[in-house]
């Protein structure tokens, strides 16, 4: 899992005023997820929607700042969210 959730936690610090963001952060703190996929499966629909809204901007910002590691790590989570949503709608 590398540091993917650490990068996500850092990105979410920009949205701490959001109740949904606080729920996600708490879930990351209290959960011992073996993979990003396991983390995504533990998210509620509201949490997924929140991340689907904020992650594209965070990924774009990372790449604009040439922080490719952070951008790629956040993109991993975003791709899992998209795959999860797609899987659920089938």
């Amino acid at each position: 899992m590398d540091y993917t959730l650490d990068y996500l936690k850092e990105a979410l610090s920009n949205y701490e005023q959001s109740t949904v963001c606080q729920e996600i952060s708490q879930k990351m703190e209290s959960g011992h997820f073996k993979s990003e996929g396991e983390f995504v499966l533990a998210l509620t629909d509201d949490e997924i929607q929140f991340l689907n809204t904020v992650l594209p901007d965070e990924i774009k910002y990372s790449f604009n700042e040439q922080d490719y590691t952070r951008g790629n790590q956040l993109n991993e989570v975003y791709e899992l969210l998209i795959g999860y949503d797609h899987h659920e709608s089938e």
Side-chain angles (χ1 to χ4, degrees):
M1 185 165 54
D2 309 67
Y3 298 101
T4 303
L5 293 183
D6 289 336
Y7 284 105
L8 179 60
K9 183 178 176 182
E10 176 197 358
L12 291 179
S13 69
N14 297 318
Y15 306 92
E16 289 177 338
Q17 70 281 3
S18 164
T19 304
V20 176
C21 179
Q22 292 171 10
E23 292 169 5
I24 296 169
S25 295
Q26 183 179 12
K27 196 169 279 188
M28 283 192 288
E29 291 291 326
S30 63
H32 300 285
F33 302 103
K34 296 178 185 173
S35 68
E36 296 89 356
E38 189 176 296
F39 169 73
V40 168
L41 290 174
L43 296 172
T44 66
D45 289 341
D46 287 343
E47 293 166 343
I48 290 170
Q49 183 178 6
F50 177 83
L51 290 174
N52 279 335
T53 301
V54 302
L55 279 178
D57 290 337
E58 290 296 321
I59 293 165
K60 182 178 178 180
Y61 175 80
S62 296
F63 287 133
N64 285 342
E65 294 296 313
Q66 298 181 357
D67 189 346
Y68 301 112
T69 301
R70 181 179 186 263
N72 287 327
Q73 295 294 314
L74 293 175
N75 193 57
E76 280 186 37
V77 175
Y78 186 60
E79 287 178 356
L80 288 170
L81 291 168
I82 292 170
Y84 179 77
D85 280 348
H86 177 72
H87 175 71
E88 288 296 307
S89 65
E90 290 180 351

